[in-house]
Amino acid sequence: MLDGHCVVKIVSKNNPEVINLLSFGGFKYQKRHTLTMKYVSVWNEKKENKETDIWKRKNEAVYIGRDQDYHYGVRAVLGGSNNHLLFITYHPNNIDVYDLDKLYYINHSLLPIDTKYSIIVLRHEMILFCEKTGLSIDYDEKTNRFQFYTLYISTTMKEFKNYAYICTDDAILFFGGSNGDYDSASKNIHKFSLIEKEWIKFEQTLPFPLSDAVAIRAEDNSYIHILGMDSGTGKAITHVRTNKEEWRKIKTEQEKEWSIKEIKIHDVERDKKEMQRMKREREKITSIVDLHISERQNEILTTIEYWIRSLFIKMGWINDFNKIILQYTQMKYFLPSKYFLGHSKCINSVKFSRDGTKIVSASDDGTIRVWDIKWRNVIQVLKDNSAFIHAQFSPDDKMIVSISRELQIQFWDIKYGEEIRKIELPSNGTEKVQISLSENIIASSATNNSIIIWDLTSVKEIKILVGHLEAIQDIRLSPDNQMIVSYSLDNAIILWDVKSGKRIHELAQCPARVCAIQFSPDGRSIVSCYSDMKIRIWDVVSGTKLKEFEGYSGYVSNVQYFPNGQMILVVALNSGLLDVKLGEQIQKLEGKYDIKNEVDISSDLLFLFQFNIQIRLLFVYFFADAIDLICFFQCKKNIFDLKLFISAFKKKEILRYQSDKRTICL
């Protein structure tokens, strides 16, 4: 009896023309079989020996599976470096690795989901779908270990099983399906992209509801044949043929709308689960702190730190951290972690270092301060007689480049705190300055409505850009330093070519006042914010408006792209993170004080070869009596910061005040 068995096609390593079928599995309480058969294509019209149509046992009996295992409905796929490993999944949540060359088990592990009615395919990695849950499965042959990553299943697929499926080069196609009875059979056709990990429900459907179906390729791989139960007519076997290329076409408008809606639903579900998980973690940690509140501070810290380490081990934190792999959009939960107080007057700019370990701040108090993020103290104080409006790190983090209100550009050695070089721009009414160390240029705006490009070494004019009708409010260099975008009081936004000095585009004027502009990280678009509480995104190539967002309180005073270009940090009365694709605010950033315009975003590459990324935010808050406070926000999904949790406890703030450096640490 072969009911509930699994059949796998095995190609001979010595002769690709020789193919065998392996069948195994069965009920727990019946005699199980491991049988083989010579494979002959159904498309082959040649007559073969009748022995090829017979399942037979090997000369020496081999049983795949343990006696105690329930192998009914087993699923399997071939893989491994030499295509010699058989990966087997079976109810309730088992996965085995069997070596077909040596005929013995290598590994038995447990999956985080049930595998009843599951499917499993292997392309770039193993993919397993089982009703409402999916998994991406990695197996390391050297260490003989599995890693599992959760995949979501589209809302229109969750209630179905018994569908036909087939794996193409870059996707899995699903045809029909039912939830157990023929009346519920579906006509829908879905696709799951193995590269983008996204679902599509096609506008085109099957001609009739289909259940208990299978899909196979034609011999030339151009067509897909689907055979199954036609639930509409009750026919036992129905055959449908479709061209494989039909399902590689560009999305229709209806399919695009469905995809956007599906992403929103998935994001809401994921966010709810994450918030619930965060709440549980906080409750556990808070209970531990309350238990030891009467003990000394050091004992409390030691206890919490030990508990967090233990928690990560139980949760498989390393696996969770490695899952990030450039998925910037998942990093949505930012909480204030540390505060820096030290300047005696307004702070005009804050910037992260390239390595993400330091902060530089420039103030009206005539100092530039370099802060160590980990220890929250001042590394260096750079002093001058004038107020500083801007300071940034050099690409190698060894120097600070600053701009004063007198428009002096100074280069400072961080280690020794000494001025290396000073550049004084001619007094021509210069207002805003941008510096490119990689291209060795300075771009400045003047009161005569022009933009001047200078050579950084000789301080000589290279180009003069003329086009604005009123005073220029700000200028920005593109990431590759080949373009400049500027806006003025005439509400015009102009895009310039640096080398030629010519105008590329003048973006459509809006009746509201422009408040800030910035290039996207890839330089392909520009985001601008306005006093009418709207945000607009412009295409650099065509100069046309791509998107418009609204719903903010008061005028939007600043915008900053995240490094992935998929999120924007919005500074307004209701500041928060805007998802560009969805067009919705995904987190409101709350703090003790009102946010000023000065913000910065860091992207620190950790474990570069695994593409793990940590994002942090910097804000300058209005504090009191013209003294500003720097707030450091850390992403909740990244490495645990012990102080982040401690700062969240009710009235359990840890304060350290250093009078010489005026630093308060929370």
Side-chain angles (χ1 to χ4, degrees):
M1 182 177 180
L2 299 183
D3 187 24
H5 277 233
C6 179
V7 179
V8 179
K9 185 170 72 171
I10 303 175
V11 180
S12 171
K13 297 181 180 67
N14 300 322
N15 185 2
E17 299 296 325
V18 177
I19 300 174
N20 290 294
L21 299 181
L22 173 68
S23 174
F24 64 95
F27 283 104
K28 181 177 180 181
Y29 300 110
Q30 77 175 130
K31 186 175 180 180
R32 291 175 296 154
H33 304 283
T34 300
L35 306 174
T36 62
M37 174 191 289
K38 183 179 178 182
Y39 170 75
V40 177
S41 172
V42 294
W43 315 110
N44 192 343
E45 297 180 357
K46 295 181 180 179
K47 293 183 178 181
E48 300 287 343
N49 190 311
K50 291 185 178 181
E51 292 184 2
T52 61
D53 299 330
I54 300 174
W55 288 104
K56 59 184 180 180
R57 195 189 306 275
K58 286 179 173 287
N59 295 333
E60 183 178 348
V62 175
Y63 297 102
I64 296 179
R66 304 174 303 179
D67 291 338
Q68 68 268 32
D69 292 336
Y70 182 76
H71 267 209
Y72 181 75
V74 65
R75 299 289 185 264
V77 66
L78 280 176
S81 57
N82 199 27
N83 212 36
H84 63 296
L85 300 179
L86 185 67
F87 296 93
I88 309 163
T89 63
Y90 52 95
H91 183 73
N93 61 337
N94 301 285
I95 182 167
D96 294 346
V97 186
Y98 189 84
D99 192 313
L100 292 175
D101 291 341
K102 300 178 181 179
L103 301 179
Y104 71 85
Y105 267 88
I106 299 174
N107 188 315
H108 171 80
S109 297
L110 297 178
L111 294 161
I113 64 172
D114 192 346
T115 62
K116 192 176 181 181
Y117 303 112
S118 66
I119 72 162
I120 185 168
V121 299
L122 178 62
R123 273 298 182 268
H124 312 285
E125 76 269 48
M126 272 185 286
I127 299 290
L128 184 147
F129 287 118
C130 182
E131 293 188 308
K132 297 182 179 181
T133 315
L135 283 181
S136 171
I137 305 172
D138 285 342
Y139 175 71
D140 190 327
E141 287 187 47
K142 294 181 180 179
T143 61
N144 193 24
R145 291 181 179 179
F146 284 102
Q147 286 187 318
F148 308 110
Y149 310 115
T150 303
L151 300 172
Y152 83 99
I153 294 184
S154 73
T155 54
T156 50
M157 281 277 293
K158 285 184 177 181
E159 302 301 324
F160 292 100
K161 48 185 177 284
N162 302 327
Y163 36 66
Y165 69 93
I166 194 163
C167 190
T168 63
D169 296 332
D170 57 358
I172 307 174
L173 294 172
F174 299 84
F175 302 92
S178 69
N179 61 12
D181 59 87
Y182 295 129
D183 293 337
S184 66
S186 169
K187 297 194 295 183
N188 291 332
I189 302 172
H190 293 80
K191 181 172 78 171
F192 177 75
S193 170
L194 296 172
I195 304 297
E196 300 171 350
K197 300 294 186 292
E198 291 183 354
W199 286 90
I200 297 174
K201 188 180 83 168
F202 291 103
E203 184 176 351
Q204 184 177 347
T205 63
L206 293 167
F208 42 76
L210 195 64
S211 178
D212 295 324
V214 295
I216 59 174
R217 294 185 186 86
E219 190 171 26
D220 60 1
N221 202 29
S222 59
Y223 286 92
I224 298 172
H225 295 264
I226 308 159
L227 299 97
M229 171 70 73
D230 180 353
S231 300
T233 62
K235 293 181 180 179
I237 296 293
T238 300
H239 176 204
V240 179
R241 188 184 77 165
T242 180
N243 191 322
K244 188 179 73 172
E245 295 301 317
E246 182 70 22
W247 313 108
R248 300 175 67 95
K249 294 180 179 178
I250 299 174
K251 292 181 185 178
T252 65
E253 290 302 317
Q254 181 176 325
E255 290 166 358
K256 289 178 181 178
E257 291 178 6
W258 181 90
S259 295
I260 293 172
K261 181 180 178 181
E262 190 71 16
I263 290 171
K264 289 182 179 179
I265 294 172
H266 170 59
D267 282 350
V268 170
E269 292 177 351
R270 184 183 62 198
D271 292 349
K272 286 181 179 178
K273 291 179 181 178
E274 176 64 15
M275 294 302 290
Q276 290 171 357
R277 185 184 69 82
M278 291 168 59
K279 183 179 179 181
R280 290 193 298 268
E281 290 175 5
R282 289 197 191 100
E283 289 173 352
K284 290 179 181 178
I285 297 173
T286 304
S287 64
I288 291 177
V289 174
D290 290 338
L291 183 65
H292 300 282
I293 191 63
S294 61
E295 299 180 9
R296 295 187 313 171
Q297 178 175 296
N298 290 339
E299 292 175 338
I300 295 175
L301 294 177
T302 303
T303 302
I304 298 173
E305 189 171 13
Y306 173 80
W307 185 88
I308 290 174
R309 288 173 181 166
S310 302
L311 177 63
F312 284 148
I313 293 172
K314 293 177 182 177
M315 291 176 59
W317 173 74
I318 295 299
N319 293 345
D320 290 341
F321 190 68
N322 289 337
K323 278 169 53 179
I324 299 176
I325 308 179
L326 296 178
Q327 299 292 322
Y328 290 86
T329 55
Q330 292 184 1
M331 300 180 182
K332 300 177 180 177
Y333 303 102
F334 290 86
L335 294 175
S337 173
K338 301 162 185 146
Y339 293 90
F340 300 85
L341 180 64
H343 289 288
S344 59
K345 292 185 179 180
C346 293
I347 299 172
N348 296 311
S349 77
V350 284
K351 293 291 179 184
F352 280 103
S353 61
R354 296 297 179 95
D355 62 11
T357 63
K358 297 181 287 294
I359 298 168
V360 62
S361 56
S363 171
D364 277 342
D365 63 8
T367 67
I368 296 169
R369 293 176 182 260
V370 182
W371 311 78
D372 182 278
I373 294 176
K374 182 178 180 181
W375 301 108
R376 299 174 297 279
N377 59 359
V378 177
I379 301 172
Q380 193 64 259
V381 178
L382 312 176
K383 297 181 179 180
D384 202 343
N385 295 325
S386 59
F388 292 98
I389 60 174
H390 180 80
Q392 67 185 60
F393 288 90
S394 62
D396 60 3
D397 286 341
K398 294 181 179 179
M399 289 193 307
I400 296 290
V401 183
S402 66
I403 305 171
S404 68
R405 290 202 182 275
E406 287 75 21
L407 299 174
Q408 294 177 341
I409 300 173
Q410 293 163 279
F411 295 78
W412 306 83
D413 181 277
I414 296 178
K415 185 176 181 180
Y416 299 103
E418 297 176 352
E419 181 183 292
I420 303 171
R421 183 188 176 199
K422 180 185 288 186
I423 298 173
E424 294 189 14
L425 295 179
S427 57
N428 59 353
T430 302
E431 294 283 344
K432 299 289 183 178
V433 179
Q434 285 268 295
I435 302 172
S436 170
L437 296 179
S438 59
E439 295 294 325
N440 204 40
I441 61 172
I442 304 170
S444 66
S445 63
T447 52
N448 62 0
N449 309 337
S450 66
I451 298 171
I452 303 174
I453 301 174
W454 310 80
D455 180 86
L456 188 58
T457 304
S458 62
V459 198
K460 292 183 177 179
E461 294 182 4
I462 301 174
K463 288 281 188 303
I464 299 178
L465 316 180
V466 179
H468 280 292
L469 302 178
E470 294 187 40
I472 297 172
Q473 298 300 292
D474 201 1
I475 56 175
R476 297 284 176 177
L477 280 162
S478 63
D480 61 1
N481 299 297
Q482 302 302 308
M483 293 180 291
I484 291 175
V485 63
S486 59
Y487 72 90
S488 73
L489 290 177
D490 59 11
N491 294 336
I493 300 176
I494 299 180
L495 187 65
W496 311 84
D497 181 85
V498 171
K499 290 184 178 179
S500 66
K502 295 182 179 179
R503 186 188 321 197
I504 301 173
H505 292 297
E506 181 171 345
L507 307 182
Q509 292 189 9
C510 300
R513 180 170 61 87
V514 183
C515 298
I517 49 175
Q518 191 199 26
F519 279 95
S520 62
D522 60 8
R524 296 180 180 178
S525 59
I526 296 168
V527 61
S528 57
C529 57
Y530 298 78
S531 59
D532 63 356
M533 298 174 283
K534 293 183 180 180
I535 297 170
R536 297 171 176 90
I537 296 179
W538 309 85
D539 181 67
V540 167
V541 176
S542 64
T544 57
K545 184 172 65 177
L546 297 176
K547 294 183 178 181
E548 184 173 287
F549 308 113
E550 57 186 13
Y552 291 91
S553 302
Y555 72 92
V556 182
S557 60
N558 202 353
V559 281
Q560 288 267 359
Y561 266 107
F562 273 66
N564 63 349
Q566 297 175 14
M567 287 199 298
I568 294 174
L569 174 63
V570 180
V571 178
L573 290 180
N574 53 342
S575 299
L577 309 182
L578 171 67
D579 187 298
V580 176
K581 191 173 184 179
L582 297 179
E584 295 181 358
Q585 182 169 285
I586 54 179
Q587 185 190 351
K588 182 180 178 181
L589 296 173
E590 298 178 347
K592 294 182 179 180
Y593 314 103
D594 294 330
I595 300 176
K596 292 182 64 176
N597 286 350
E598 287 70 49
V599 296
D600 195 28
I601 301 173
S602 163
S603 92
D604 309 326
L605 292 181
L606 306 175
F607 309 104
L608 182 59
F609 295 103
Q610 296 180 27
F611 301 103
N612 293 312
I613 295 177
Q614 186 182 35
I615 307 290
R616 285 92 61 80
L617 309 177
L618 278 181
F619 294 91
V620 175
Y621 286 101
F622 290 107
F623 190 51
D625 298 326
I627 299 175
D628 292 333
L629 181 74
I630 301 174
C631 181
F632 174 88
F633 273 66
Q634 188 149 340
C635 180
K636 186 64 179 59
K637 287 200 175 219
N638 287 320
I639 299 175
F640 261 73
D641 187 328
L642 179 60
K643 301 300 185 296
L644 184 150
F645 284 95
I646 295 175
S647 66
F649 298 150
K650 294 180 180 179
K651 299 180 181 179
K652 298 179 180 67
E653 298 173 336
I654 299 171
L655 302 177
R656 185 180 68 203
Y657 182 78
Q658 300 175 345
S659 58
D660 58 331
K661 296 172 182 177
R662 295 177 57 83
T663 303
I664 291 180
C665 301
L666 296 176

